[in-house]
């Protein structure tokens, strides 16, 4: 039996998702124990005994409730569902009838146990994610979790490696089954694959910015620098749902037409790149500037264990370098995140507002720094108890 709700084959290739949430499939087998009595006759465990193969037009004596299973076995994928494969024969129990929100049960008739094991052929809607690591000259620089395509590819997810040209690059995954073909879909190219289709898709909005591929959410560090408006944003380039948090980057000269430049912050040994902010350090208090050019500094949460605050900087608005002294602020409590930083001219110091869950409540912690690198706590503002929304996540603070 293969009940395939949402089988994704994501890799250097990534696959579509037809549903919104996974659902528990309840299959009840009613049995009579024929081997419980030690004096029972020993049955030769030779040929398997078939309980059900679901090759017919109906479920026969199996009892159906709800709408998830329909009136009989499916012959593969259902409308709105992704490709379903790997099942034996021509029929299978497919719990996607009516979509991901459908529920129901499928209960067998009573049968006698005459062998030592019950064997099921079951398909899941989501394959295991692989830990994928990119090493440059033997040192890890990018770490992600990804679902690699083990067969046909639905879409390609790019990873820009041009910054490491002529260096030794290694791609490592933590586990693959022995006959996996997933890594055969990983290739090196001077151009993006399927580029002709990008931004021409019939359901893609044409006014608001959207990335070439993958998920995006929180806008981070929207600043004006070197004659351009810079938009940074939370981005998962390897999937259509939240995860693998990078910082994507796009620029505009009119706030209407945007050019996507690729990801500037990628998950590393400190964790995925959660939200934050950006500042132009006009006075070069950080010391990151060069040749009279003030640095553009990104302040972000590295959401590993512990969860810490870090810096990256650029002097051209294109190439960003993570600060070698990261983290610049250690963990206050687990999950502290989303640093919003600004320059306070009256006191000539940088101010960071940071979300911190503390003593069962939401708080915003205020930190100050003369140089963006050294921070000290200035005050704490209390919000709601956990479960409320006041002062929860992504704080901001500005003068009116």
């Amino acid at each position: 039996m293969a009940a395939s709700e949402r089988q994704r084959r994501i890799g250097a290739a990534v696959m579509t998702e037809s549903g919104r949430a996974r659902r528990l499939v309840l299959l009840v087998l009613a049995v009579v124990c024929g081997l419980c009595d030690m004096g029972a006759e020993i049955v030769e465990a030779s040929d398997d005994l078939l309980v059900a193969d679901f090759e017919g037009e109906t479920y026969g004596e199996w009892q159906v409730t709800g709408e998830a299973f329909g009136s009989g076995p499916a012959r593969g994928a259902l409308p709105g569902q992704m490709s379903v494969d790997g099942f034996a024969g021509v029929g299978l129990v497919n719990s996607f009838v009516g979509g991901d929100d459908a529920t129901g049960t499928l209960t067998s008739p009573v049968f006698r146990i005459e062998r030592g094991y019950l064997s099921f052929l079951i398909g899941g809607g989501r394959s295991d994610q692989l830990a994928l690591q990119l090493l440059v000259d033997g040192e890890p620089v990018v770490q992600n979790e990804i679902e690699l395509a083990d067969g046909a590819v639905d879409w390609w997810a790019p990873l820009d490696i041009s910054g490491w040209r002529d260096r030794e690059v290694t791609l490592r995954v933590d586990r693959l089954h022995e006959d996996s073909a997933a890594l055969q879909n990983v290739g090196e190219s001077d151009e993006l694959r399927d580029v002709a289709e990008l931004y021409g898709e019939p359901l893609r909005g044409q006014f608001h910015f959207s990335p070439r591929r993958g998920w995006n959410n929180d806008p981070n560090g929207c600043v004006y620098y070197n004659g351009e408006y810079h938009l940074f944003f939370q981005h998962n380039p390897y999937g259509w749902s939240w995860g693998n948090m990078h910082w994507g980057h796009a620029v505009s000269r009119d706030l209407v037409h945007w050019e996507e430049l690729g990801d500037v912050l990628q998950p590393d040994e400190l964790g995925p790149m959660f939200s934050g902010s950006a500042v132009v350090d006009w006075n070069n208090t950080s010391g990151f500037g060069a040749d009279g050019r003030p640095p553009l500094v990104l302040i972000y949460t590295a959401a590993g264990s512990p969860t810490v605050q870090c810096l990256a900087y650029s002097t051209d608005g294109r190439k960003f370098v993570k600060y070698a002294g990261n983290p610049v602020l250690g963990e206050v409590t687990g999950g502290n995140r989303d640093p919003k930083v600004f320059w306070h001219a009256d006191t000539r110091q940088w101010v960071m507002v940071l979300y911190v869950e503390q003593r069962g409540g939401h708080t915003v912690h205020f930190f100050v720094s003369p140089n963006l690198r050294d921070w000290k706590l200035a005050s704490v503002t209390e919000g709601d108890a956990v479960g409320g929304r006041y002062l929860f996540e992504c704080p901001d603070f500005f003068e009116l």
Side-chain angles (χ1 to χ4, degrees), residues 27-300:
L27 189 69
V28 181
L29 297 176
V31 303
V32 174
C33 184
L35 295 178
C36 297
D37 184 351
M38 293 299 294
E41 177 184 357
I42 301 299
V43 180
E44 279 295 326
S46 51
D47 297 331
D48 289 343
L49 298 177
L50 182 65
V51 176
D53 58 11
F54 304 112
E55 296 292 272
E57 296 297 322
T58 70
Y59 290 121
E61 297 182 11
W62 288 63
Q63 300 298 310
V64 182
T65 68
E67 66 277 10
F69 298 99
S71 60
R75 294 295 181 260
L78 296 171
Q81 190 178 28
M82 296 173 47
S83 173
V84 175
D85 52 30
F87 59 93
V90 298
L92 75 151
V93 175
N94 190 326
S95 62
F96 193 71
V97 177
D100 266 343
D101 291 336
T103 59
T105 65
L106 185 61
T107 306
S108 77
V110 173
F111 63 92
R112 180 177 295 277
I113 294 179
E114 299 180 64
R115 297 288 189 271
Y117 300 92
L118 281 173
S119 298
F120 304 89
L121 177 58
I122 301 176
R126 187 181 180 111
S127 60
D128 288 338
Q129 289 188 328
L130 303 173
L132 181 146
Q133 188 178 64
L134 184 76
L135 300 94
V136 178
D137 296 333
E139 295 296 323
V141 294
V142 180
Q143 296 184 175
N144 286 296
E145 290 188 349
I146 192 170
E147 293 173 349
L148 294 172
D150 207 1
V153 172
D154 283 322
W155 62 276
W156 295 90
L159 171 61
D160 185 1
I161 58 174
S162 59
W164 304 301
R165 187 179 298 275
D166 298 326
R167 298 175 66 181
E168 184 179 277
V169 176
T170 304
L171 193 65
R172 176 186 295 163
V173 296
D174 63 345
R175 62 188 183 279
L176 285 172
H177 56 83
E178 292 182 0
D179 59 347
S180 172
L183 291 181
Q184 297 176 19
N185 286 326
V186 179
E188 188 177 354
S189 174
D190 287 329
E191 297 180 352
L192 294 174
R193 298 197 185 215
D194 299 335
V195 68
E197 303 173 7
L198 294 176
Y199 296 106
E201 302 91 340
L203 297 181
R204 185 192 288 268
Q206 295 298 307
F207 183 74
H208 297 94
F209 171 80
S210 59
R212 289 184 290 254
R213 293 297 193 196
W215 165 281
N216 69 292
N217 59 323
D218 297 2
N220 299 318
C222 301
V223 294
Y224 188 77
Y225 179 75
N226 281 359
E228 296 174 311
Y229 296 97
H230 290 256
L231 166 66
F232 303 94
F233 55 92
Q234 294 277 265
H235 186 213
N236 178 9
Y238 306 121
W240 289 357
S241 60
W242 187 96
N244 295 317
M245 286 294 99
H246 295 56
W247 275 32
H249 186 202
V251 294
S252 172
R253 294 190 179 275
D254 59 8
L255 293 175
V256 176
H257 303 90
W258 292 90
E259 176 189 0
E260 185 176 0
L261 299 178
D263 296 318
V264 294
L265 296 181
Q266 299 165 321
D268 57 26
E269 69 278 4
L270 294 179
M273 306 288 99
F274 274 23
S275 293
S277 54
V279 296
V280 180
D281 184 9
W282 294 108
N283 300 316
N284 195 25
T285 63
S286 62
F288 297 148
D291 300 324
R293 292 175 295 181
L296 172 56
V297 182
L298 311 182
I299 308 97
Y300 62 93

Side-chain angles (χ1 to χ4, degrees), residues 350-379:
W350 297 98
V351 178
M352 176 194 295
V353 290
L354 184 73
Y355 167 71
V356 178
E357 182 183 318
Q358 193 170 52
R359 295 185 297 275
H362 303 312
T363 76
V364 169
H365 279 44
F366 286 75
F367 296 88
V368 293
S369 170
N371 55 17
L372 291 172
R373 293 179 281 108
D374 304 301
W375 295 89
K376 66 179 181 179
L377 180 66
S379 64

Side-chain angles (χ1 to χ4, degrees), residues 316-364:
D316 62 3
R318 292 297 187 271
K319 182 179 180 181
F320 287 81
V321 177
K322 290 177 179 176
Y323 175 45
N326 283 334
V328 296
L329 183 62
E331 181 177 88
V332 183
T333 65
N336 54 190
R337 56 189 178 272
D338 311 331
K340 167 65 177 180
V341 172
F342 61 93
W343 174 253
H344 188 237
D346 289 349
T347 57
R348 297 193 59 80
Q349 63 185 348
W350 297 98
V351 178
M352 176 194 295
V353 290
L354 184 73
Y355 167 71
V356 178
E357 182 183 318
Q358 193 170 52
R359 295 185 297 275
H362 303 312
T363 76
V364 169

